[in-house]
Amino acid sequence: MTTARLVMTVAMLAVVVGCSSGGEVAASCAAVVTYGNREYLPAQDEDFTVGGRLGTARIPECDDTPGDPEVAIPEGTTAAYAVEGRDPAEAIAVGDTPAEARLMEVHR
């Protein structure tokens, strides 16, 4: 997976997020990555330090708008990195290189 695709996927989350009738935010599947049997979503925090490579994170196929094939996200992979000071069960960084990695936090 290229960094451009990861950035597009993360950006799509901001566009596809909607509100339910209760005022709660309904998240899209567009920015979900899985690693170690956990799902991660993009974090707002941009102040983090990327650690060593952990392995490969999977980006599941996603189609939040079934009638629009141009919006579908195909399955892919990207590198997963440790985040200094954080347990990978809480947060990882994903991207093609450590310099391009984005912070992701476990989805509870």
Side-chain angles (χ1 to χ4, degrees):
M1 170 177 196
T2 65
T3 299
R5 183 167 157 225
L6 177 64
V7 170
M8 179 195 76
T9 301
V10 172
M12 251 180 122
L13 177 63
V15 173
V16 182
V17 169
C19 294
S20 69
S21 59
E24 298 174 6
V25 173
S28 164
C29 65
V32 173
V33 298
T34 59
Y35 175 78
N37 296 320
R38 293 179 199 83
E39 291 184 340
Y40 297 82
L41 291 171
Q44 298 295 332
D45 186 6
E46 294 295 326
D47 187 25
F48 66 98
T49 302
V50 177
R53 184 176 168 129
L54 297 171
T56 301
R58 187 176 73 82
I59 300 152
E61 181 177 354
C62 173
D63 188 0
D64 284 341
T65 56
D68 189 354
E70 292 181 22
V71 181
I73 305 292
E75 185 173 338
T77 60
T78 189
Y81 300 93
V83 175
E84 289 187 11
R86 305 279 303 265
D87 185 321
E90 297 174 2
I92 61 173
V94 295
D96 289 339
T97 68
E100 298 170 338
R102 303 274 309 184
L103 180 64
M104 306 290 281
E105 292 181 335
V106 73
H107 174 65
R108 300 183 197 267

